[in-house]
Amino acid sequence: SSGINAEWPLRPGEHKSNGPKIPLYMVYERALKELPCSYKIWYKYLCLRRKGTKGRCIDDPEMNRVIHCYERALVFLHKMPRIWMDYCQFIVDLNYVTKARHTLDRALRSLPITQHCRMWPIYLNFIKKHNIKEQALRLYRRYLQLAPEDAEILIDYLMSVEHLDEAAVLLTKCLNDEDFNSKKGKSKHQMWVQLCALLSENPTKITTIKVEPIIRQGLQRFTDMTGKLWISLADYYIRKHQFDKARDIYEEAVKTVMTVRDFGQVFDVYAEFEEQLITLKIENRTKNGKTPDNELDLQLRLRRFEKLMQRRPLLLNSVLLRQNPHNVNEWLKRVGLFEGKPREIVNTYTEAIKTIDPKLATGKLSKLWIEFSRFYEDNKQLNEARVIFEKAVLVPFVKVDELADTWSNYVEMELRHEYYDEALLHLRKVTTAPPHKPSYFDRTEPVQNRVYRALKLWSVYADLEESLGTFASTKNVYYRILDLRIASPQIILNFSELLEEKNYFEESFKIYERGIGMFKWPLVYDLWTTYLTKFVTRYGGDKLERARDLFEQSLDQCPEKFAKSIFLLYAKLEEDFGLKRHAMAVYNRATQAVLKEEQAEMFQIYITRATACFGVTHTRQIYEQALETLPDTDARVFGQRFAELETKLGEIDRARSIYIHTSQFADPRQCSEFWRLWQTFEVAHGNEDTFREMLRIKRSVRDKYSTQSSFNLPPDADTTTAAAADPMAQLQKDVQFVRGNEQTQASTVQNPDEIALDDDDEDDEDEDDEQEEEEAGEEEGEDGIVKQCVPDEVFGKLAEQVNQDEDELQ
């Protein structure tokens, strides 16, 4: 046997692999007799024997022979996991349950612990294939000793076989183990949800662990699903028929949840629970009849359900206050929910005041104090209301305005009950400056030291002194406001109005000037307009130079938005008390100083006043300036008016020049009215050459605007249709100035069958031209000169004076 090795039986085996099996088995047997510990020979031999059993019945004698071969091989190769795996799988496939279990146990005992992970998958598949409950439980427990991270396999199996108590215990251990990681990818949150569902849905089957502490622990750990956990805990007691305990859980839930979503979930389930109990009681009464106890119980449940629905707004408000206990608006809403219950209202106000931190308050804390005092005032308890206000003014509010609101409402309460002296006493107290006089915006100082600069309190103080005090005391209050530099434009106007009523005009004007020095545009606009109006009304033309100086000061750095009214006041002053040319200069300045949108209106006012003062001839320069300054739309309108003016004055050439100049602003497609007026003008005052010139200009203007807008047209636009629809071309075709009955022949050769459509059109055009020329000739005199009257507007006020002189001579 010295020449035998492990390779030589393989070669004959390969040579005879396609031949009969028995001679091949003999070759392997001889080889194994010589080399009984050869893994390769045994593995090839066992694979060959196992292959030979395919397609045979499980009780065939060959099956036992293969098993016998595996047993012989394991005598020498009991540490080879591959041999054990094939052997165990072979027996499992034969459905030899006991034999397979014993063989798998032998394999686990023979192999080292590091190789067990290769055998357990076969064992677990064997367990699933043969569902023997007690045996499977013992095997799963053995498997968890090797692989505790696979506890979910046992949990799923326990739940499938209704061993819920053990499944809950094992799931709890997994949750308590911080190092446990689910192989199914479940998070701790999902495992908690699974455990809570398991505990709440099976209260009678789970007795080993305490359900309520576990769910309450989940309430602390998973705040995002508080509502569901509370519902699960209540459902646990409902399934145990402990309805009173379930109701207590629901009550605790609606009083402790922190979000509106969780409250909505719990409250809806709570209401449904009560409704189902009532329905059940009604059904029992129907079946068993009415008894006093059942009726009393039913009425009690109905009252409880009704009260629950009435409590919903209050419970929801409690949830919002638990989210933010410093929310003033929610506290006020809570007070409104207790309408008609004075004791609860007072308790709510008291609790709110104790709870809210002024530095963390959301909303105006002063409103809470004011409403609290108003509650006592409405109930005719004025002393208690004063006590509330006295405490309120000592609260360290964040903003000075809140303390000022509190003081002003305190004063108004005293005024409503006609305690005027107390009101004035409160205002004098609060407006007294502390010794060091801190700044209004100094947040390091408490609001009680800064409230003396609150304008709201000073306004109330001034109004009250004006109503109840003397003129001297009122002036003193207003001057103190000015000294503190907290006055508003309205304060200045009120003080000046007061002085004017007492005939202190110069002092009133000084207050205006002092106020103007305190503010900038646009706040100073109302002061300037009121000051200038009052000054002009008071002095008129007596102090003209001073008035002019004031107007110039007001116009210095005046924004365009506010310049118009001041310029009009200035021009009115010059017209009434100054020089007309000065007024015209003011109007001229105004046309350049106002907003672009107001320039056209300003030019129109300028033209109107110039016509009234100097006659229409003085407006030519104004019109020319307007045409240069205004945008195209307004320039076109002023150009039409200018041309009409020149036409009335008989300046036909000037009017035509204006039309020609203005035509560059008039698109024929949009401004048809302008071209109609020009055409009427040429028909009345022009000739054929001027009319053709107008048509040429119209065509050129149309082409200019068409070129500018052609970039917005599509490239395949139908130009033929546009040309056919052009009224300009049609007008040029229709209008004819050639008189006479002769017609120009376009061709010497005529077609006798041709339909003469153009001849009729030409005849119509000639008739229209003759009619237009006849109408124009009617306006001419015998000498061919148009005679028109000169309008009175040309001479302005001179015409009125001449008429008056003629009347006096007569």
Side-chain angles (χ1 to χ4, degrees):
S1 63
S2 59
I4 299 175
N5 55 42
E7 297 293 336
W8 76 267
L10 300 180
R11 289 194 292 272
E14 293 174 357
H15 177 67
K16 299 182 178 182
S17 60
N18 296 325
K21 301 295 183 182
I22 295 178
L24 190 57
Y25 295 162
M26 294 177 63
V27 172
Y28 277 108
E29 289 289 347
R30 289 176 59 194
L32 292 172
K33 186 176 180 180
E34 297 295 333
L35 298 170
C37 296
S38 176
Y39 170 78
K40 291 184 179 182
I41 298 175
W42 274 113
Y43 183 73
K44 287 286 186 180
Y45 183 35
L46 293 173
C47 289
L48 183 64
R49 295 301 296 260
R50 194 171 64 251
K51 185 177 180 181
T53 60
K54 288 185 177 180
R56 299 195 180 195
C57 184
I58 61 174
D59 58 352
D60 192 281
E62 183 64 23
M63 303 297 181
N64 291 329
R65 296 191 189 99
V66 175
I67 294 173
H68 180 68
C69 288
Y70 271 108
E71 292 291 344
R72 286 167 53 204
L74 291 173
V75 172
F76 302 101
L77 305 174
H78 58 280
K79 297 296 183 182
M80 296 296 177
R82 183 76 258 175
I83 302 298
W84 281 111
M85 291 170 63
D86 292 344
Y87 183 26
C88 294
Q89 188 64 48
F90 180 71
I91 296 177
V92 169
D93 293 340
L94 293 178
N95 293 325
Y96 294 169
V97 178
T98 305
K99 179 68 174 178
R101 181 168 56 82
H102 291 169
T103 304
L104 287 166
D105 290 340
R106 286 171 54 201
L108 293 173
R109 287 193 298 270
S110 299
L111 294 173
I113 191 68
T114 56
Q115 301 291 336
H116 285 194
C117 59
R118 304 182 66 181
M119 296 302 303
W120 272 109
I122 301 174
Y123 216 159
L124 296 178
N125 290 333
F126 168 71
I127 295 171
K128 296 175 182 178
K129 186 176 182 180
H130 306 283
N131 188 16
I132 304 173
K133 186 182 300 183
E134 294 300 327
Q135 178 183 344
L137 289 175
R138 287 195 298 270
L139 291 175
Y140 273 121
R141 294 187 188 111
R142 285 173 56 192
Y143 175 64
L144 287 186
Q145 295 178 2
L146 175 66
E149 66 275 5
D150 290 332
E152 290 176 292
I153 298 177
L154 178 56
I155 294 172
D156 294 340
Y157 182 76
L158 290 171
M159 294 177 65
S160 65
V161 297
E162 297 295 327
H163 282 220
L164 302 179
D165 193 21
E166 186 178 354
V169 172
L170 187 58
L171 185 56
T172 304
K173 290 180 180 178
C174 294
L175 286 171
N176 292 331
D177 186 4
E178 297 294 338
D179 298 329
F180 179 80
N181 292 319
S182 173
K183 286 193 173 182
K184 293 184 177 181
K186 291 182 179 180
S187 62
K188 292 286 186 181
H189 179 272
Q190 292 174 325
M191 295 177 69
W192 265 103
V193 173
Q194 182 182 4
L195 176 61
C196 292
L198 182 64
L199 295 176
S200 61
E201 294 174 1
N202 304 279
T204 59
K205 297 180 181 180
I206 300 175
T207 58
T208 304
I209 61 177
K210 296 181 179 180
V211 177
E212 186 171 348
I214 292 176
I215 296 181
R216 288 187 180 276
Q217 185 181 1
L219 289 171
Q220 298 176 359
R221 295 182 61 179
F222 305 102
T223 56
D224 59 331
M225 56 175 300
T226 306
K228 293 183 179 178
L229 290 176
W230 279 116
I231 294 172
S232 299
L233 181 57
D235 188 44
Y236 168 76
Y237 287 108
I238 292 173
R239 292 176 185 272
K240 292 183 70 174
H241 301 285
Q242 298 180 10
F243 300 123
D244 293 336
K245 183 65 175 177
R247 185 178 294 108
D248 294 339
I249 295 298
Y250 281 127
E251 285 290 337
E252 183 182 359
V254 296
K255 293 178 180 179
T256 56
V257 292
M258 298 296 294
T259 63
V260 177
R261 184 195 64 181
D262 292 335
F263 172 79
Q265 293 175 348
V266 175
F267 187 86
D268 291 343
V269 177
Y270 187 13
E272 185 179 358
F273 163 71
E274 292 289 353
E275 191 175 356
Q276 289 177 353
L277 287 181
I278 293 172
T279 304
L280 183 61
K281 286 292 180 181
I282 294 174
E283 292 177 355
N284 291 336
R285 186 184 65 172
T286 304
K287 292 180 181 179
N288 303 328
K290 297 182 179 180
T291 61
D293 294 338
N294 291 340
E295 288 296 320
L296 181 61
D297 187 31
L298 180 60
Q299 293 297 326
L300 178 63
R301 294 183 184 278
L302 288 173
R303 291 290 300 275
R304 182 186 290 124
F305 180 71
E306 182 180 359
K307 186 176 180 181
L308 174 64
M309 301 308 294
Q310 292 175 354
R311 289 166 53 208
R312 189 181 190 282
L314 189 61
L315 292 172
L316 180 59
N317 179 263
S318 300
V319 173
L320 297 174
L321 287 177
R322 283 194 292 273
Q323 291 179 354
N324 182 11
H326 308 288
N327 192 329
V328 177
N329 296 326
E330 291 301 329
W331 280 109
L332 292 175
K333 290 180 182 178
R334 188 176 185 85
V335 171
L337 295 175
F338 289 114
E339 185 177 1
K341 301 177 180 179
R343 186 179 299 275
E344 286 79 0
I345 291 175
V346 173
N347 293 335
T348 303
Y349 275 123
T350 305
E351 184 182 359
I353 290 170
K354 293 179 179 179
T355 304
I356 296 175
D357 185 354
K359 295 182 179 180
L360 302 176
T362 302
K364 299 184 70 172
L365 181 58
S366 60
K367 187 176 181 181
L368 183 66
W369 286 96
I370 294 169
E371 293 295 332
F372 193 9
S373 64
R374 191 181 297 276
F375 170 75
Y376 281 115
E377 182 186 356
D378 294 340
N379 288 277
K380 299 180 180 180
Q381 298 179 359
L382 192 60
N383 292 330
E384 286 76 3
R386 287 195 180 102
V387 171
I388 296 300
F389 271 121
E390 290 296 335
K391 292 181 179 180
V393 296
L394 300 177
V395 175
F397 295 106
V398 177
K399 297 180 180 180
V400 180
D401 290 341
E402 294 190 49
L403 182 57
D405 289 339
T406 306
W407 274 111
S408 62
N409 281 273
Y410 192 5
V411 172
E412 289 173 2
M413 184 191 73
E414 299 289 0
L415 294 176
R416 283 194 295 269
H417 297 277
E418 299 182 355
Y419 290 98
Y420 303 117
D421 295 337
E422 286 79 358
L424 282 173
L425 183 63
H426 294 326
L427 288 172
R428 293 191 183 103
K429 177 182 176 181
V430 72
T431 54
T432 302
H436 56 290
K437 296 183 179 180
S439 172
Y440 182 84
F441 301 100
D442 187 3
R443 294 185 177 273
T444 59
E445 291 286 338
V447 290
Q448 283 74 15
N449 292 344
R450 295 181 283 154
V451 72
Y452 77 98
R453 298 180 67 91
L455 179 60
K456 184 175 184 179
L457 293 176
W458 283 104
S459 300
V460 176
Y461 191 12
D463 293 341
L464 199 58
E465 285 288 353
E466 189 173 348
S467 301
L468 304 175
T470 62
F471 176 65
S473 63
T474 307
K475 279 179 61 178
N476 184 33
V477 171
Y478 276 115
Y479 275 117
R480 288 177 62 189
I481 294 174
L482 294 176
D483 293 339
L484 290 174
R485 300 188 66 83
I486 59 173
S488 65
Q490 188 60 46
I491 293 291
I492 302 296
L493 294 174
N494 294 341
F495 190 17
S496 300
E497 186 71 23
L498 175 65
L499 294 172
E500 187 177 353
E501 290 177 0
K502 302 297 182 179
N503 296 326
Y504 289 82
F505 295 104
E506 282 299 329
E507 191 173 357
S508 172
F509 295 153
K510 290 180 181 179
I511 296 301
Y512 277 120
E513 293 176 356
R514 188 171 178 179
I516 289 169
M518 294 172 61
F519 302 102
K520 297 182 179 179
W521 291 96
L523 298 177
V524 79
Y525 171 73
D526 292 331
L527 296 179
W528 269 121
T529 53
T530 307
Y531 181 23
L532 295 173
T533 303
K534 298 286 186 181
F535 189 88
V536 173
T537 304
R538 171 64 180 167
Y539 293 113
D542 295 340
K543 296 185 179 182
L544 185 58
E545 291 301 325
R546 182 179 171 185
R548 287 173 177 170
D549 185 55
L550 289 176
F551 274 107
E552 292 297 334
Q553 290 181 29
S554 65
L555 292 173
D556 186 24
Q557 298 181 351
C558 177
E560 296 178 349
K561 181 178 179 182
F562 306 101
K564 177 183 174 183
S565 59
I566 297 178
F567 272 111
L568 291 177
L569 289 174
Y570 193 5
K572 186 71 167 58
L573 172 70
E574 292 292 349
E575 287 187 31
D576 294 342
F577 307 106
L579 300 176
K580 299 294 187 295
R581 58 186 180 84
H582 286 178
M584 297 301 106
V586 172
Y587 282 122
N588 188 25
R589 288 172 57 190
T591 58
Q592 306 300 323
V594 298
L595 293 173
K596 296 293 184 183
E597 296 80 5
E598 297 176 346
Q599 278 186 328
E601 183 181 0
M602 200 69 238
F603 269 110
Q604 185 59 41
I605 296 173
Y606 187 11
I607 292 170
T608 303
R609 300 312 304 160
T611 303
C613 295
F614 299 102
V616 294
T617 57
H618 190 76
T619 62
R620 285 173 174 164
Q621 295 180 352
I622 305 175
Y623 274 115
E624 292 174 359
Q625 183 181 355
L627 293 177
E628 295 176 358
T629 305
L630 294 176
D632 293 351
T633 304
D634 296 329
R636 184 182 66 253
V637 175
F638 276 82
Q640 293 177 9
R641 296 173 183 173
F642 193 12
E644 291 173 0
L645 173 64
E646 294 292 355
T647 304
K648 291 179 181 180
L649 296 178
E651 298 290 344
I652 305 302
D653 292 338
R654 291 179 60 87
R656 182 176 292 110
S657 300
I658 294 170
Y659 275 120
I660 293 173
H661 175 74
T662 310
S663 63
Q664 61 182 321
F665 311 130
D667 185 359
R669 297 172 297 179
Q670 299 178 358
C671 308
S672 58
E673 180 64 20
F674 171 81
W675 296 99
R676 186 188 64 78
L677 293 175
W678 193 2
Q679 180 182 349
T680 304
F681 170 79
E682 293 295 347
V683 170
H685 305 286
N687 52 37
E688 180 180 358
D689 295 334
T690 58
F691 196 89
R692 288 187 179 277
E693 180 66 14
M694 181 203 70
L695 295 178
R696 185 193 65 77
I697 294 173
K698 185 175 183 180
R699 183 168 55 252
S700 64
V701 173
R702 182 204 61 188
D703 294 342
K704 182 184 73 172
Y705 281 100
S706 299
T707 304
Q708 293 176 357
S709 61
S710 62
F711 297 102
N712 298 326
L713 296 175
D716 55 347
D718 189 0
T719 57
T720 304
T721 305
D726 186 8
M728 174 63 203
Q730 187 65 27
L731 177 63
Q732 185 175 2
K733 181 178 179 182
D734 293 342
V735 177
Q736 298 289 337
F737 274 91
V738 180
R739 296 183 180 181
N741 296 325
E742 297 181 359
Q743 297 181 355
T744 305
Q745 297 182 356
S747 176
T748 57
V749 180
Q750 297 183 356
N751 186 1
D753 297 330
E754 183 180 1
I755 299 174
L757 296 178
D758 296 336
D759 296 341
D760 296 337
D761 294 339
E762 292 176 358
D763 294 340
D764 295 339
E765 292 171 359
D766 293 340
E767 293 175 0
D768 294 340
D769 296 338
E770 293 175 359
Q771 183 179 359
E772 291 176 356
E773 292 180 1
E774 290 175 359
E775 292 176 356
E778 290 176 357
E779 299 177 359
E780 299 179 358
E782 296 178 355
D783 299 332
I785 300 174
V786 178
K787 297 181 179 179
Q788 293 182 351
C789 297
V790 178
D792 294 338
E793 289 80 356
V794 175
F795 305 102
K797 292 186 177 181
L798 297 176
E800 298 177 1
Q801 296 177 0
V802 172
N803 293 332
Q804 292 177 0
D805 294 339
E806 292 178 355
D807 294 337
E808 292 177 357
L809 292 174
Q810 291 176 0

